[in-house]
């Protein structure tokens, strides 16, 4: 299960907490699986979303405009 998925843009947004520091290999395998199926993935840290939401939203919007 991904954190957020937008079908229109085939975009997956993941918001990673500290647990992801302990599961980097799993995350990489999962990301490769999703990208092989045509999904684009954006990853943000929890702190980034909490402290810099405007930049996070801008990156998401910019990614959608590339389509």
């Amino acid at each position: 299960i991904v954190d957020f998925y937008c079908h229109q843009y085939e975009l997956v947004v993941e918001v990673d907490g500290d647990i992801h520091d302990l599961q980097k290999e799993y995350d990489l395998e999962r990301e490769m699986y999703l990208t092989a199926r045509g999904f684009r993935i954006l990853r943000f840290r929890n702190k980034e979303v909490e402290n810099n939401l405007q930049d996070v939203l801008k990156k998401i919007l910019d990614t959608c405009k590339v389509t």
Side-chain angles (χ1 to χ4, degrees):
I1 298 173
V2 299
D3 293 326
F4 176 79
Y5 170 65
C6 178
H7 178 74
Q8 180 177 351
Y9 295 103
E10 295 182 322
L11 178 64
V12 170
V13 177
E14 294 281 21
V15 180
D16 295 342
D18 292 338
I19 188 69
H20 290 272
D21 293 336
L22 304 174
Q23 63 183 42
K24 290 182 183 197
E25 186 175 318
Y26 170 80
D27 286 345
L28 179 60
E29 287 178 21
R30 188 167 171 259
E31 193 165 312
M32 289 175 17
Y33 175 87
L34 292 168
T35 56
R37 281 148 185 81
F39 299 105
R40 293 182 295 163
I41 301 170
L42 290 177
R43 281 193 177 279
F44 301 99
R45 299 292 299 191
N46 281 348
K47 296 267 185 211
E48 194 175 1
V49 174
E50 292 169 0
N51 298 326
N52 205 358
L53 183 58
Q54 291 301 323
D55 285 346
V56 169
L57 294 174
K58 182 179 181 333
K59 186 168 185 181
I60 293 169
L61 288 173
D62 289 347
T63 300
C64 292
K65 288 179 187 174
V66 171
T67 305

